[in-house]
Amino acid sequence: MTKISGKVLHVHEPFVVPYSKRKCVAYYFKIEKKVSTGKHSHWRTLIEKEDIQDFYIEKSGEVVLVRPTNTPKNYYSYLVEDSSAGSGFLKDPTPEFKELLDGFNIPSENFLGFNKRLKYSERIIEVGEIITVGGIAKWKAVDATISGYNYSKIAALESSDSQKLIITDLIQARRTDL
């Protein structure tokens, strides 16, 4: 297993996440509603979305291609919460949160006009962010050009049947003594 920490560069057009509007190569977000059942209450997930695309890790002028896939999922991601929002009793949703809820056809108020208890959390791998990736290193033919580079092969981090990619933006993962 090979581990590398470096700056994220996009291969394809980056995603734009719906709340913070930042460009990224991977995202996970969730919208939840507080549900009460008599004495007890819990958070019920209304919307949960995740996506990821191929990306490069740049370190000291060299690049490594990372190829995660969703079907079948060949990676584990451990991402820090980057953005959050909420609404509830005496707490109106921000205009950005209201726009997000409207985009998913989720009403922010109940039938009496009171705010629903809703929360949103967003975890992303932003273009330019420093992250750490672990995987199996292999040489691959370049099928997407990288400005400033004209190599015919590039190192790629991949998964195998027994070893998935590990992708994280946790600062602790950058340490070399792990």
Side-chain angles (χ1 to χ4, degrees):
M1 169 116 106
T2 302
K3 173 181 144 183
I4 184 169
S5 295
K7 184 169 74 169
V8 173
L9 305 174
H10 58 90
V11 174
H12 309 289
E13 183 64 30
F15 302 120
V16 176
V17 282
Y19 180 71
S20 66
K21 308 287 190 223
R22 293 185 294 165
K23 291 184 176 186
C24 62
V25 296
Y27 66 83
Y28 169 82
F29 69 83
K30 182 165 42 171
I31 302 172
E32 296 173 291
K33 175 184 171 184
K34 187 84 167 212
V35 177
S36 296
T37 56
K39 293 182 181 180
H40 305 285
S41 62
H42 65 280
W43 289 99
R44 185 178 60 148
T45 300
L46 301 176
I47 304 284
E48 189 172 21
K49 291 186 92 177
E50 178 178 18
D51 207 353
I52 195 164
Q53 60 180 250
D54 294 352
F55 60 93
Y56 296 112
I57 298 286
E58 186 270 328
K59 183 175 183 174
S60 304
E62 299 297 325
V63 292
V64 173
L65 177 62
V66 181
R67 293 196 122 144
T69 58
N70 282 320
T71 310
K73 187 171 179 178
N74 72 341
Y75 65 94
Y76 296 113
S77 61
Y78 303 95
L79 304 178
V80 173
E81 183 175 271
D82 293 297
S83 297
S84 62
S87 66
F89 184 69
L90 298 178
K91 183 180 178 189
D92 290 336
T94 64
E96 297 84 5
F97 188 39
K98 179 83 170 91
E99 180 185 336
L100 174 82
L101 294 172
D102 291 344
F104 287 104
N105 295 320
I106 298 171
S108 61
E109 298 177 342
N110 64 19
F111 66 94
L112 297 174
F114 294 110
N115 291 329
K116 291 183 177 180
R117 293 190 64 191
L118 301 167
K119 69 179 180 178
Y120 171 86
S121 63
E122 177 178 279
R123 300 165 189 271
I124 70 171
I125 298 176
E126 190 172 14
V127 174
E129 182 178 4
I130 305 295
I131 69 165
T132 302
V133 179
I136 299 167
K138 295 181 179 177
W139 286 103
K140 293 289 179 183
V142 174
D143 58 353
T145 59
I146 310 166
S147 66
Y149 294 91
N150 54 4
Y151 302 119
S152 61
K153 288 192 171 187
I154 188 170
L157 287 179
E158 297 185 342
S159 65
S160 69
D161 292 338
S162 61
Q163 181 63 55
K164 291 188 176 192
L165 288 168
I166 300 170
I167 302 169
T168 184
D169 60 358
L170 295 170
I171 293 173
Q172 301 90 325
R174 296 183 208 162
R175 294 181 25 209
T176 57
D177 60 345
L178 293 178

